[in-house]
Amino acid sequence: MLLSIKNLKSGYGDIEVLRGVSIEVGEGEIVCLIGPNGAGKTTVLKSVMGLATKTGGEILWKGRDISKLPTHALLEEGIGFVPQGRLVFPSLTVRENLEMGGYLLNHRETREKNLESVLGRFPALKKYAKTRAGSLSGGEQQMLAIGRALMMTPELLMLDEPSLGLSPKITEEVYEKLMELHESGTILLIVEQNVRLVLRHASRGYLLSNGEVRFAGTAKELGSEKIMHEAYLL
Ligand code: ATP
């Protein structure tokens, strides 16, 4: 497995949110994390990124414990993160936002190459390269947040609710882009409230509730009436 989270206990300060969570993501996979509000889905992603307080368990990347690495080192290791709510820099241009995503890259040539590659992948971003990010639509900002994460050419991209606040049509466009990314070799770990949507794209996933994994299985299994009902997601 590429990413192995084993019996992870973590939270914020003294508050324990995850109470022994185990999750795996392998080569070529699209894995989803679903579950009700407050289940701890975001906390799983934040824990991997070194943005939560880990109190137990292991986080292995290619077999190596990464749980003590700072966030910038994780980005350099090939783990990308698109946080919930997009969080682009509104007063910077699209191009500047993308450049921020690549600020850890030492070589200017690599930064330029990656920038061109991201702009090539997202024609809308290319069109608005000199526009302030704050004036883009929600869907465009989500594309920008994804593009920014791609500046580091991650092997694994983790996304926190990429459909949040977007219309069904724009959501489809975002997922189309994610599928293109997957086809070009990027592994995806997606937290999503829109369960039906994500189960159409993921191969398997985990149902979290109250800081624990309640069920792990294929997308088909996760989509069963029983599991959906148990999760109060219907
Ligand atoms: P949602 O869909 O609502 O984001 P989630 O499954 O992603 O749900 P988390 O965001 O991981 O859930 O939150 C799990 C629990 O951790 C919640 O009870 C939340 O109140 C708490 N929590 C989240 N962030 C913090 C924080 N920075 N400090 C303290 N508690 C937090």
Side-chain angles (χ1 to χ4, degrees):
M1 282 291 161
L2 214 50
L3 179 71
S4 275
I5 301 174
K6 295 183 179 171
N7 200 21
L8 176 67
K9 296 188 172 124
S10 117
Y12 307 95
D14 291 339
I15 304 165
E16 187 175 88
V17 175
L18 302 181
R19 303 182 295 150
V21 164
S22 297
I23 286 169
E24 297 199 312
V25 183
E27 294 281 356
E29 285 202 295
I30 302 178
V31 175
C32 65
L33 302 183
I34 60 171
N37 280 336
K41 306 179 296 295
T42 297
T43 306
V44 172
L45 304 192
K46 284 191 175 169
S47 301
V48 174
M49 289 318 288
L51 301 170
T53 316
K54 179 176 157 276
T55 49
E58 283 183 316
I59 305 174
L60 304 176
W61 173 244
K62 299 177 181 173
R64 196 162 67 91
D65 188 357
I66 55 164
S67 56
K68 292 197 175 64
L69 293 185
T71 306
H72 68 85
L74 295 161
L75 295 170
E76 286 169 332
E77 282 286 330
I79 304 177
F81 178 43
V82 181
Q84 194 180 108
R86 309 184 260 281
L87 306 179
V88 298
F89 301 103
S91 58
L92 299 185
T93 65
V94 165
R95 190 187 174 92
E96 288 164 344
N97 265 277
L98 293 175
E99 283 167 352
M100 292 294 280
Y103 82 101
L104 288 171
L105 298 168
N106 287 325
H107 300 289
R108 195 170 65 87
E109 277 170 23
T110 314
R111 283 200 302 270
E112 286 295 318
K113 184 171 112 313
N114 293 1
L115 182 65
E116 285 313 311
S117 151
V118 170
L119 291 175
R121 192 180 276 286
F122 296 96
L125 297 185
K126 191 165 191 169
K127 189 166 122 198
Y128 296 125
K130 292 181 180 152
T131 304
R132 282 176 59 241
S135 56
L136 298 182
S137 69
E140 289 157 354
Q141 288 190 21
Q142 184 60 271
M143 300 289 191
L144 177 55
I146 295 169
R148 189 175 55 188
L150 293 182
M151 285 293 291
M152 294 297 289
T153 55
E155 279 176 73
L156 167 70
L157 185 61
M158 305 193 297
L159 300 111
D160 197 350
E161 304 208 15
S163 77
L164 194 73
L166 302 181
S167 70
K169 180 171 170 290
I170 303 299
T171 296
E172 285 300 330
E173 287 176 19
V174 168
Y175 267 80
E176 240 169 66
K177 281 290 168 199
L178 293 179
M179 292 311 109
E180 279 176 30
L181 262 181
H182 178 248
E183 273 158 34
S184 61
T186 311
I187 299 153
L188 302 175
L189 175 59
I190 309 177
V191 164
E192 186 58 87
Q193 284 282 345
N194 190 337
V195 175
R196 300 271 176 214
L197 167 79
V198 78
L199 290 180
R200 275 197 278 122
H201 297 92
S203 42
R204 56 181 194 88
Y206 298 82
L207 168 70
L208 262 76
S209 169
N210 203 14
E212 290 177 355
V213 173
R214 297 284 163 190
F215 185 81
T218 63
K220 191 160 179 243
E221 288 165 342
L222 279 164
S224 74
E225 291 284 318
K226 184 169 169 286
I227 297 295
M228 297 289 259
H229 188 72
E230 270 179 29
Y232 304 104
L233 292 169
L234 278 174

